[in-house]
Amino acid sequence: MTVKSTPDASRLPLTEANIATLIDVFYDRVRVHRDLGPVFNAAVHDWPEHKALLSSFWNSVALKTQTYRGNPMRQHFNKGVRFEHFAQWLDLWRQTTDELLEPDAATELQHYAERIGHSLKYGLGLTGAHGGRDLGLPVVGQ
């Protein structure tokens, strides 16, 4: 698998076509990532279809196209996702968006990803450092 790259001089504006390019490049990188690759490769059985779905998702988020139909929370249950995967995914997302997109577009998608990641972690019960929900209660004896 070849991981695509775009030179700095040709950073892209936020359009549907460019989001599709971003998703293609980003998930090619996810697939070969040491920790993320095994999780995603085990869960995704049709990469072209998955990339098209994620392009629709990000177009709906960033461009308000309202084309995405799905339930991201449900799709992440019981897939082997751990707390630390979120930081790794977000780091790779930042790198890829910074590389491919115009600065304002990259920042916008990074902020969306941070908020979405926080919601997913909470919904999956992965908000604590050890993978459980932090209820804000003191631990007896500590």
Side-chain angles (χ1 to χ4, degrees), residues 51-121:
K51 288 178 180 180
L53 181 69
L54 290 171
S55 292
S56 175
F57 173 80
W58 283 105
N59 283 321
S60 292
V61 168
L63 301 176
K64 313 295 186 241
T65 61
Q66 300 181 349
T67 57
Y68 176 75
R69 301 289 180 262
N71 183 334
M73 189 68 66
R74 185 179 67 224
Q75 297 305 316
H76 289 84
F77 273 117
N78 298 320
K79 300 288 196 244
V81 177
R82 296 189 318 262
F83 181 82
E84 62 270 16
H85 291 144
F86 285 89
Q88 294 169 333
W89 187 98
L90 192 55
D91 285 344
L92 190 58
W93 182 253
R94 283 186 190 115
Q95 291 168 14
T96 308
T97 54
D98 280 341
E99 177 186 329
L100 297 179
L101 299 177
E102 292 176 342
D104 289 344
T107 298
E108 180 180 356
L109 288 186
Q110 291 163 13
H111 287 178
Y112 282 130
E114 289 168 9
R115 290 195 302 269
I116 292 165
H118 179 75
S119 295
L120 282 172
K121 282 189 291 189

Coordinates of all heavy atoms in Angstrom, one line a residue, residues 51-121:
K51 N -14.2 4.4 3.5 CA -13.7 5.7 3.2 C -14.8 6.6 2.7 O -14.9 7.8 3.0 CB -12.5 5.6 2.3 CG -11.3 5.1 2.9 CD -10.2 5.0 1.8 CE -8.9 4.5 2.4 NZ -7.8 4.5 1.3
A52 N -15.7 6.0 1.8 CA -16.8 6.8 1.3 C -17.8 7.2 2.4 O -18.2 8.4 2.5 CB -17.5 6.0 0.2
L53 N -18.0 6.3 3.4 CA -18.9 6.7 4.5 C -18.2 7.8 5.4 O -18.9 8.7 5.8 CB -19.1 5.4 5.3 CG -20.0 5.6 6.6 CD1 -21.4 5.9 6.1 CD2 -19.9 4.3 7.4
L54 N -16.9 7.7 5.6 CA -16.3 8.7 6.4 C -16.2 10.0 5.7 O -16.2 11.1 6.3 CB -14.9 8.2 6.8 CG -15.0 7.0 7.9 CD1 -13.6 6.4 8.1 CD2 -15.6 7.5 9.2
S55 N -16.0 10.0 4.4 CA -16.1 11.2 3.6 C -17.4 11.9 3.8 O -17.5 13.1 4.0 CB -15.8 11.0 2.1 OG -14.4 10.6 2.0
S56 N -18.5 11.1 3.7 CA -19.8 11.6 3.9 C -20.0 12.2 5.3 O -20.6 13.3 5.5 CB -20.8 10.5 3.7 OG -22.1 10.9 4.0
F57 N -19.4 11.5 6.3 CA -19.5 12.0 7.7 C -18.8 13.3 7.8 O -19.4 14.3 8.3 CB -18.8 10.9 8.6 CG -18.7 11.4 10.0 CD1 -19.8 11.4 10.9 CD2 -17.5 12.0 10.5 CE1 -19.7 11.9 12.2 CE2 -17.4 12.4 11.8 CZ -18.5 12.4 12.7
W58 N -17.6 13.4 7.3 CA -16.8 14.7 7.5 C -17.4 15.8 6.6 O -17.3 17.0 7.0 CB -15.3 14.4 7.2 CG -14.7 13.8 8.4 CD1 -14.3 12.5 8.5 CD2 -14.4 14.4 9.7 NE1 -13.8 12.3 9.8 CE2 -13.9 13.4 10.5 CE3 -14.6 15.7 10.2 CZ2 -13.5 13.7 11.8 CZ3 -14.2 16.0 11.5 CH2 -13.7 15.0 12.3
N59 N -18.0 15.5 5.5 CA -18.7 16.5 4.7 C -19.9 17.0 5.4 O -20.1 18.2 5.4 CB -19.1 15.9 3.3 CG -18.0 15.8 2.3 OD1 -17.1 16.7 2.3 ND2 -17.9 14.8 1.6
S60 N -20.6 16.1 6.1 CA -21.7 16.6 6.9 C -21.3 17.4 8.1 O -22.0 18.4 8.4 CB -22.5 15.3 7.4 OG -23.1 14.7 6.3
V61 N -20.2 17.1 8.7 CA -19.7 17.8 9.9 C -19.2 19.2 9.5 O -19.6 20.2 10.0 CB -18.6 17.0 10.6 CG1 -17.9 17.9 11.6 CG2 -19.2 15.8 11.3
A62 N -18.3 19.2 8.5 CA -17.5 20.4 8.2 C -18.3 21.3 7.2 O -18.2 22.5 7.2 CB -16.2 20.1 7.6
L63 N -19.0 20.7 6.2 CA -19.6 21.4 5.2 C -21.1 21.5 5.3 O -21.8 22.1 4.4 CB -19.2 20.9 3.8 CG -17.7 20.9 3.5 CD1 -17.4 20.2 2.1 CD2 -17.1 22.3 3.5
K64 N -21.6 20.8 6.3 CA -23.1 20.8 6.6 C -23.9 20.2 5.4 O -25.0 20.6 5.1 CB -23.6 22.2 6.9 CG -22.8 22.9 8.0 CD -22.8 22.3 9.3 CE -22.1 23.1 10.3 NZ -20.9 22.5 10.9
T65 N -23.3 19.2 4.7 CA -24.0 18.6 3.6 C -25.2 17.7 4.0 O -26.0 17.4 3.1 CB -23.0 17.8 2.7 OG1 -22.5 16.7 3.5 CG2 -21.9 18.6 2.2
Q66 N -25.2 17.2 5.2 CA -26.3 16.4 5.7 C -26.4 15.1 4.9 O -27.5 14.6 4.7 CB -27.6 17.1 5.8 CG -27.5 18.3 6.7 CD -28.9 19.0 6.8 OE1 -29.8 18.8 6.1 NE2 -28.9 20.0 7.8
T67 N -25.3 14.6 4.4 CA -25.3 13.4 3.6 C -25.1 12.1 4.4 O -25.4 11.0 4.0 CB -24.3 13.4 2.5 OG1 -23.0 13.6 3.0 CG2 -24.6 14.5 1.5
Y68 N -24.5 12.2 5.6 CA -24.2 11.1 6.4 C -25.4 10.5 7.1 O -26.2 11.2 7.7 CB -23.1 11.5 7.5 CG -22.8 10.3 8.4 CD1 -22.0 9.3 8.0 CD2 -23.3 10.3 9.7 CE1 -21.7 8.2 8.8 CE2 -23.0 9.3 10.6 CZ -22.2 8.2 10.1 OH -21.9 7.2 10.9
R69 N -25.5 9.2 7.0 CA -26.6 8.5 7.7 C -25.9 7.3 8.4 O -25.4 6.4 7.8 CB -27.6 7.9 6.7 CG -28.3 8.9 5.9 CD -29.3 9.8 6.7 NE -30.0 10.7 5.9 CZ -29.6 12.0 5.8 NH1 -28.6 12.4 6.5 NH2 -30.3 12.9 5.1
G70 N -25.8 7.4 9.7 CA -25.2 6.4 10.5 C -25.1 6.7 12.0 O -25.6 7.8 12.4
N71 N -24.5 5.8 12.7 CA -24.4 6.0 14.2 C -23.0 5.7 14.6 O -22.6 4.6 14.8 CB -25.4 5.0 14.9 CG -25.4 5.2 16.4 OD1 -24.4 5.6 17.0 ND2 -26.5 4.8 17.0
P72 N -22.2 6.8 14.6 CA -20.7 6.6 15.0 C -20.5 5.9 16.3 O -19.6 5.1 16.4 CB -20.2 8.0 15.0 CG -21.1 8.8 14.2 CD -22.5 8.2 14.4
M73 N -21.3 6.2 17.3 CA -21.1 5.6 18.6 C -21.3 4.1 18.5 O -20.4 3.3 19.0 CB -22.1 6.2 19.6 CG -21.9 5.8 21.0 SD -20.4 6.5 21.7 CE -20.8 8.2 21.8
R74 N -22.3 3.6 17.9 CA -22.6 2.2 17.8 C -21.5 1.5 17.0 O -21.1 0.4 17.3 CB -23.9 2.0 17.1 CG -24.3 0.5 17.1 CD -25.7 0.2 16.4 NE -25.6 0.5 15.0 CZ -26.6 1.2 14.4 NH1 -27.6 1.6 15.0 NH2 -26.4 1.5 13.1
Q75 N -20.9 2.2 16.0 CA -19.9 1.6 15.1 C -18.6 1.4 15.9 O -17.8 0.6 15.4 CB -19.6 2.5 13.9 CG -20.8 2.6 13.0 CD -21.4 1.2 12.5 OE1 -20.6 0.3 12.2 NE2 -22.7 1.1 12.6
H76 N -18.4 2.0 17.0 CA -17.2 1.9 17.8 C -17.2 0.9 18.9 O -16.2 0.6 19.5 CB -16.7 3.3 18.2 CG -16.2 4.1 17.1 ND1 -17.0 4.9 16.3 CD2 -14.9 4.3 16.6 CE1 -16.3 5.5 15.4 NE2 -15.1 5.2 15.5
F77 N -18.4 0.5 19.3 CA -18.6 -0.5 20.4 C -18.0 -1.8 20.0 O -18.1 -2.3 18.9 CB -20.1 -0.7 20.7 CG -20.6 0.3 21.7 CD1 -21.6 1.2 21.3 CD2 -20.1 0.4 23.0 CE1 -22.1 2.1 22.2 CE2 -20.6 1.3 23.9 CZ -21.6 2.2 23.5
N78 N -17.4 -2.5 21.0 CA -16.8 -3.8 20.8 C -15.9 -4.0 19.6 O -15.9 -5.0 19.0 CB -18.0 -4.8 20.8 CG -18.8 -4.8 22.0 OD1 -18.3 -4.7 23.1 ND2 -20.1 -4.9 21.9
K79 N -15.1 -3.0 19.4 CA -14.1 -3.1 18.3 C -12.7 -3.1 18.7 O -11.8 -3.0 17.9 CB -14.3 -1.9 17.3 CG -15.7 -1.8 16.7 CD -15.9 -2.9 15.7 CE -17.1 -2.5 14.8 NZ -18.2 -3.4 14.9
G80 N -12.5 -3.2 20.0 CA -11.1 -3.2 20.6 C -10.5 -1.8 20.7 O -9.3 -1.7 20.9
V81 N -11.3 -0.8 20.7 CA -10.9 0.6 20.9 C -10.5 0.8 22.3 O -11.3 0.5 23.2 CB -11.9 1.6 20.4 CG1 -11.4 3.0 20.6 CG2 -12.3 1.4 18.9
R82 N -9.3 1.3 22.5 CA -8.8 1.6 23.9 C -8.7 3.1 24.1 O -8.5 3.9 23.1 CB -7.5 0.9 24.2 CG -7.7 -0.6 24.2 CD -6.4 -1.3 24.7 NE -5.2 -0.8 24.2 CZ -4.5 -1.2 23.2 NH1 -4.9 -2.3 22.6 NH2 -3.3 -0.7 22.9
F83 N -8.6 3.6 25.3 CA -8.4 5.0 25.6 C -7.3 5.6 24.8 O -7.4 6.7 24.2 CB -8.2 5.1 27.1 CG -8.1 6.5 27.6 CD1 -9.2 7.3 27.8 CD2 -6.8 7.1 27.8 CE1 -9.0 8.6 28.3 CE2 -6.7 8.4 28.3 CZ -7.8 9.2 28.5
E84 N -6.1 5.0 24.8 CA -4.9 5.6 24.2 C -5.1 5.7 22.7 O -4.4 6.5 22.0 CB -3.7 4.8 24.6 CG -3.6 3.3 24.1 CD -4.2 2.4 25.1 OE1 -4.9 2.8 26.1 OE2 -4.0 1.2 25.0
H85 N -5.9 4.9 22.1 CA -6.1 5.0 20.6 C -6.6 6.4 20.2 O -6.3 6.8 19.1 CB -7.1 3.9 20.1 CG -6.5 2.5 20.2 ND1 -7.3 1.5 20.5 CD2 -5.3 2.1 20.0 CE1 -6.6 0.4 20.5 NE2 -5.3 0.7 20.3
F86 N -7.4 7.0 21.1 CA -8.0 8.3 20.7 C -6.9 9.4 20.5 O -6.9 10.1 19.5 CB -9.0 8.8 21.7 CG -10.3 8.1 21.6 CD1 -10.5 6.9 22.3 CD2 -11.3 8.6 20.8 CE1 -11.7 6.2 22.1 CE2 -12.5 7.9 20.6 CZ -12.7 6.7 21.3
A87 N -5.9 9.4 21.4 CA -4.8 10.3 21.3 C -3.9 10.0 20.0 O -3.5 10.9 19.3 CB -3.9 10.3 22.5
Q88 N -3.7 8.8 19.8 CA -2.9 8.4 18.6 C -3.7 8.7 17.3 O -3.1 9.3 16.4 CB -2.7 6.8 18.6 CG -1.8 6.4 19.8 CD -1.8 4.9 19.9 OE1 -2.7 4.2 19.6 NE2 -0.7 4.4 20.5
W89 N -5.0 8.5 17.3 CA -5.8 8.8 16.1 C -5.7 10.3 15.9 O -5.5 10.8 14.8 CB -7.2 8.3 16.3 CG -8.1 8.5 15.1 CD1 -8.4 7.5 14.2 CD2 -8.8 9.7 14.7 NE1 -9.3 8.1 13.2 CE2 -9.5 9.4 13.5 CE3 -8.9 11.0 15.2 CZ2 -10.3 10.3 12.9 CZ3 -9.7 11.9 14.5 CH2 -10.4 11.6 13.4
L90 N -5.9 11.1 17.0 CA -6.0 12.5 16.9 C -4.6 13.1 16.5 O -4.5 14.0 15.6 CB -6.4 13.2 18.2 CG -6.8 14.6 18.1 CD1 -7.8 15.0 17.1 CD2 -7.3 15.1 19.5
D91 N -3.5 12.5 17.0 CA -2.2 13.0 16.5 C -2.0 12.8 15.0 O -1.5 13.7 14.3 CB -1.1 12.3 17.3 CG -0.9 12.7 18.7 OD1 -1.4 13.8 19.1 OD2 -0.3 12.0 19.5
L92 N -2.4 11.6 14.5 CA -2.2 11.3 13.1 C -3.2 12.2 12.3 O -2.8 12.7 11.2 CB -2.5 9.9 12.9 CG -2.2 9.3 11.5 CD1 -0.8 9.5 11.1 CD2 -2.6 7.8 11.4
W93 N -4.4 12.5 12.8 CA -5.3 13.4 12.1 C -4.8 14.8 12.0 O -4.8 15.4 11.0 CB -6.6 13.4 12.9 CG -7.7 14.2 12.3 CD1 -8.2 15.4 12.8 CD2 -8.6 14.0 11.2 NE1 -9.2 15.9 12.1 CE2 -9.5 15.0 11.1 CE3 -8.6 12.9 10.3 CZ2 -10.4 15.0 10.0 CZ3 -9.5 12.9 9.3 CH2 -10.4 14.0 9.1
R94 N -4.2 15.3 13.1 CA -3.5 16.6 13.1 C -2.4 16.7 12.1 O -2.3 17.7 11.3 CB -3.0 17.0 14.5 CG -4.0 17.4 15.5 CD -3.4 17.8 16.8 NE -4.4 18.0 17.8 CZ -4.4 17.3 18.9 NH1 -3.5 16.4 19.2 NH2 -5.4 17.5 19.8
Q95 N -1.6 15.7 12.1 CA -0.4 15.7 11.1 C -1.0 15.7 9.7 O -0.4 16.5 8.9 CB 0.4 14.4 11.3 CG 1.2 14.4 12.6 CD 1.8 13.0 12.9 OE1 1.8 12.1 12.0 NE2 2.2 12.8 14.1
T96 N -2.0 14.9 9.4 CA -2.4 14.8 8.1 C -3.2 16.0 7.6 O -3.0 16.5 6.5 CB -3.3 13.5 7.9 OG1 -2.6 12.4 8.4 CG2 -3.7 13.2 6.5
T97 N -4.1 16.5 8.5 CA -4.8 17.8 8.1 C -3.8 18.9 8.0 O -4.0 19.7 7.0 CB -5.9 18.1 9.1 OG1 -5.4 18.2 10.5 CG2 -7.0 17.1 9.1
D98 N -2.8 19.0 8.9 CA -1.9 20.1 8.7 C -1.1 20.0 7.4 O -0.7 21.0 6.8 CB -0.9 20.1 9.9 CG -1.4 20.7 11.2 OD1 -2.4 21.5 11.1 OD2 -0.9 20.5 12.2
E99 N -0.8 18.8 7.0 CA 0.0 18.6 5.8 C -0.8 18.9 4.5 O -0.3 19.5 3.6 CB 0.5 17.2 5.7 CG 1.2 16.8 4.5 CD 1.6 15.3 4.4 OE1 1.8 14.7 5.5 OE2 1.7 14.8 3.3
L100 N -2.1 18.5 4.5 CA -2.9 18.5 3.3 C -3.7 19.7 3.1 O -4.0 20.2 2.0 CB -3.8 17.3 3.2 CG -3.1 15.9 3.1 CD1 -4.2 14.8 3.1 CD2 -2.2 15.8 1.9
L101 N -4.2 20.3 4.2 CA -5.3 21.3 4.1 C -4.7 22.7 4.4 O -3.7 22.9 5.1 CB -6.4 21.1 5.1 CG -7.2 19.8 4.9 CD1 -8.2 19.6 6.0 CD2 -7.8 19.7 3.5
E102 N -5.4 23.7 3.9 CA -5.1 25.1 4.3 C -5.2 25.2 5.8 O -6.0 24.5 6.5 CB -6.1 26.1 3.6 CG -5.9 26.1 2.1 CD -7.0 27.0 1.5 OE1 -8.0 27.3 2.1 OE2 -6.7 27.4 0.3
P103 N -4.4 26.1 6.4 CA -4.3 26.2 7.9 C -5.7 26.3 8.6 O -6.0 25.6 9.6 CB -3.4 27.4 8.2 CG -2.5 27.4 7.0 CD -3.4 27.0 5.8
D104 N -6.6 27.2 8.1 CA -7.9 27.4 8.7 C -8.7 26.1 8.6 O -9.4 25.8 9.6 CB -8.6 28.6 8.1 CG -8.0 29.9 8.5 OD1 -7.2 30.0 9.5 OD2 -8.3 30.9 7.9
A105 N -8.7 25.5 7.5 CA -9.4 24.2 7.3 C -8.9 23.1 8.2 O -9.7 22.4 8.8 CB -9.4 23.8 5.8
A106 N -7.6 23.0 8.3 CA -7.0 22.0 9.2 C -7.4 22.2 10.6 O -7.8 21.3 11.3 CB -5.4 22.1 9.0
T107 N -7.3 23.5 11.1 CA -7.7 23.8 12.4 C -9.1 23.5 12.7 O -9.5 22.9 13.7 CB -7.4 25.3 12.7 OG1 -6.0 25.5 12.6 CG2 -7.8 25.7 14.1
E108 N -10.0 23.8 11.8 CA -11.4 23.5 11.9 C -11.7 22.0 12.1 O -12.4 21.6 13.0 CB -12.2 24.1 10.7 CG -13.7 23.9 10.8 CD -14.4 24.4 9.6 OE1 -13.8 25.1 8.7 OE2 -15.6 24.2 9.5
L109 N -11.1 21.2 11.2 CA -11.3 19.8 11.3 C -10.7 19.2 12.5 O -11.2 18.2 13.1 CB -10.8 19.1 10.0 CG -11.6 19.3 8.8 CD1 -11.1 18.5 7.6 CD2 -13.1 19.0 9.0
Q110 N -9.6 19.8 13.0 CA -8.9 19.3 14.2 C -9.9 19.6 15.4 O -10.0 18.7 16.3 CB -7.6 19.9 14.4 CG -6.6 19.5 13.4 CD -5.4 20.4 13.3 OE1 -5.1 21.2 14.2 NE2 -4.5 20.2 12.3
H111 N -10.5 20.7 15.5 CA -11.4 21.0 16.6 C -12.6 20.1 16.6 O -13.0 19.7 17.6 CB -11.8 22.5 16.5 CG -10.7 23.4 16.9 ND1 -10.8 24.8 16.8 CD2 -9.4 23.2 17.3 CE1 -9.7 25.4 17.2 NE2 -8.8 24.4 17.5
Y112 N -13.2 19.9 15.4 CA -14.3 19.0 15.3 C -13.9 17.6 15.8 O -14.6 17.0 16.6 CB -14.8 18.8 13.8 CG -15.6 20.0 13.4 CD1 -15.4 20.6 12.1 CD2 -16.7 20.4 14.1 CE1 -16.1 21.6 11.7 CE2 -17.5 21.4 13.6 CZ -17.2 22.0 12.4 OH -18.0 23.0 11.9
A113 N -12.7 17.1 15.4 CA -12.2 15.8 15.8 C -12.0 15.7 17.3 O -12.4 14.7 17.9 CB -10.9 15.4 15.0
E114 N -11.5 16.7 17.9 CA -11.3 16.7 19.3 C -12.7 16.6 20.1 O -12.8 15.8 21.0 CB -10.6 18.0 19.8 CG -9.2 18.1 19.4 CD -8.6 19.5 19.6 OE1 -9.2 20.4 20.2 OE2 -7.4 19.7 19.1
R115 N -13.7 17.4 19.6 CA -15.0 17.3 20.3 C -15.7 15.9 20.0 O -16.2 15.3 20.9 CB -15.9 18.4 19.8 CG -15.4 19.8 20.3 CD -16.4 20.9 20.1 NE -16.9 21.1 18.8 CZ -16.3 22.0 17.9 NH1 -15.3 22.7 18.3 NH2 -16.8 22.1 16.7
I116 N -15.6 15.4 18.8 CA -16.2 14.1 18.5 C -15.5 13.0 19.3 O -16.1 12.2 19.8 CB -16.1 13.9 17.0 CG1 -17.0 14.9 16.2 CG2 -16.4 12.4 16.7 CD1 -16.8 15.0 14.8
G117 N -14.1 13.1 19.3 CA -13.4 12.1 20.1 C -13.8 12.1 21.6 O -13.9 11.0 22.2
H118 N -13.9 13.3 22.1 CA -14.3 13.4 23.6 C -15.7 12.7 23.8 O -15.9 11.9 24.7 CB -14.4 14.9 24.0 CG -14.8 15.0 25.4 ND1 -14.0 14.8 26.5 CD2 -16.0 15.4 25.9 CE1 -14.6 15.0 27.6 NE2 -15.8 15.4 27.3
S119 N -16.6 13.0 22.9 CA -17.9 12.4 23.0 C -17.9 10.9 22.8 O -18.6 10.1 23.6 CB -18.9 13.0 21.9 OG -19.1 14.3 22.1
L120 N -17.1 10.4 21.9 CA -17.0 8.9 21.7 C -16.3 8.3 22.9 O -16.8 7.2 23.4 CB -16.1 8.6 20.4 CG -16.9 8.8 19.1 CD1 -15.9 8.6 18.0 CD2 -18.0 7.8 19.0
K121 N -15.3 8.9 23.4 CA -14.7 8.3 24.6 C -15.7 8.2 25.8 O -15.7 7.2 26.4 CB -13.4 9.1 25.1 CG -12.2 8.9 24.3 CD -11.0 9.6 24.9 CE -11.1 11.1 24.8 NZ -9.9 11.8 25.2

